[in-house]
Amino acid sequence: NSCEIFKKEAGKKMVFMGKISDTQMGAVALNGNTFFVVLKNSLYKGDVNNLKSKPELKEITVPLNKNERIDTIYVHPENPHRMYLYGFKMLCVSNDSGESWVARKKIPAISKIFFHPKKQDRLIIKSFNNLYISEDGGENIELLDIKIKYDPRVLFDYTNELRFLIMDSKSIYETVDNGKTFVKKGEIEFEKRNGNSVIVQDAVIKPDNGSVTYLATNLGIYKSVDSGMT
């Protein structure tokens, strides 16, 4: 129910800016010196520099319908003017740093959205066991020909914009044509260590080498140099 915000500038120490606290606080995000926070399923913004006193919050109008819920605020790393809100049955986009929002395609139940780190309009959306791709920020979506049984991760290749990996707890799949076709690359199998199962917690493709993949697990970091085959 609370969030502490720190500011770090190059060559300087981390500075505590202040704390946001509310019994019904939801998602929080920073965009420059502006912070966004969800309170009671409404979106507010404030100035990071005024956090040490009681922050003045301005409510931002978001086109929500009944039973829609904001779960996540996302600021695109390449273009901070582009922001997304998403949650149960809702997806909204902003092109003016969160001042105004437009509702996108209605999807039955959004559980996760993966945002391409370079192409601000490319999204991979998970709904139930289906994955959808959008090339226009969620205005139009296309069902991908792949079924995921477990919680997936989408790994975008910085060196090839048409390639990405989809990984669940058991398998790795690769596409080199932006999701038109998929090839199963391999199985994720780990031996137990000291009786403990290895659980994948995060994964990433090396930004300057698409063949190298790192998996962060509860028992250490694993590396693949053959695009996930081994």
Side-chain angles (χ1 to χ4, degrees), residues 24 38-43 64-65 67-71:
Q24 297 191 49
V38 176
L39 302 173
K40 300 178 183 178
N41 207 39
S42 295
L43 182 67
L64 289 177
N65 295 325
N67 297 326
E68 293 181 343
R69 182 186 69 238
I70 304 172
D71 290 332

Side-chain angles (χ1 to χ4, degrees), residues 58-117:
K58 175 186 175 183
E59 185 172 2
I60 305 296
T61 301
V62 178
L64 289 177
N65 295 325
K66 188 178 180 180
N67 297 326
E68 293 181 343
R69 182 186 69 238
I70 304 172
D71 290 332
T72 301
I73 309 169
Y74 179 82
V75 182
H76 199 279
E78 292 291 309
N79 178 13
H81 297 298
R82 170 63 64 87
M83 296 178 62
Y84 290 94
L85 297 175
Y86 76 88
F88 184 66
K89 294 185 177 181
M90 63 84 62
L91 170 62
C92 293
V93 62
S94 172
N95 288 305
D96 54 11
S97 302
E99 289 295 327
S100 61
W101 296 87
V102 176
R104 289 307 201 200
K105 191 82 174 181
K106 298 299 179 185
I107 299 172
I110 298 175
S111 57
K112 182 71 174 178
I113 296 181
F114 301 91
F115 300 89
H116 195 283

Side-chain angles (χ1 to χ4, degrees), residues 214-230:
Y214 293 96
L215 303 182
T217 78
N218 59 321
L219 298 177
I221 297 176
Y222 291 78
K223 179 181 179 181
S224 170
V225 295
D226 54 11
S227 301
M229 289 291 290
T230 57

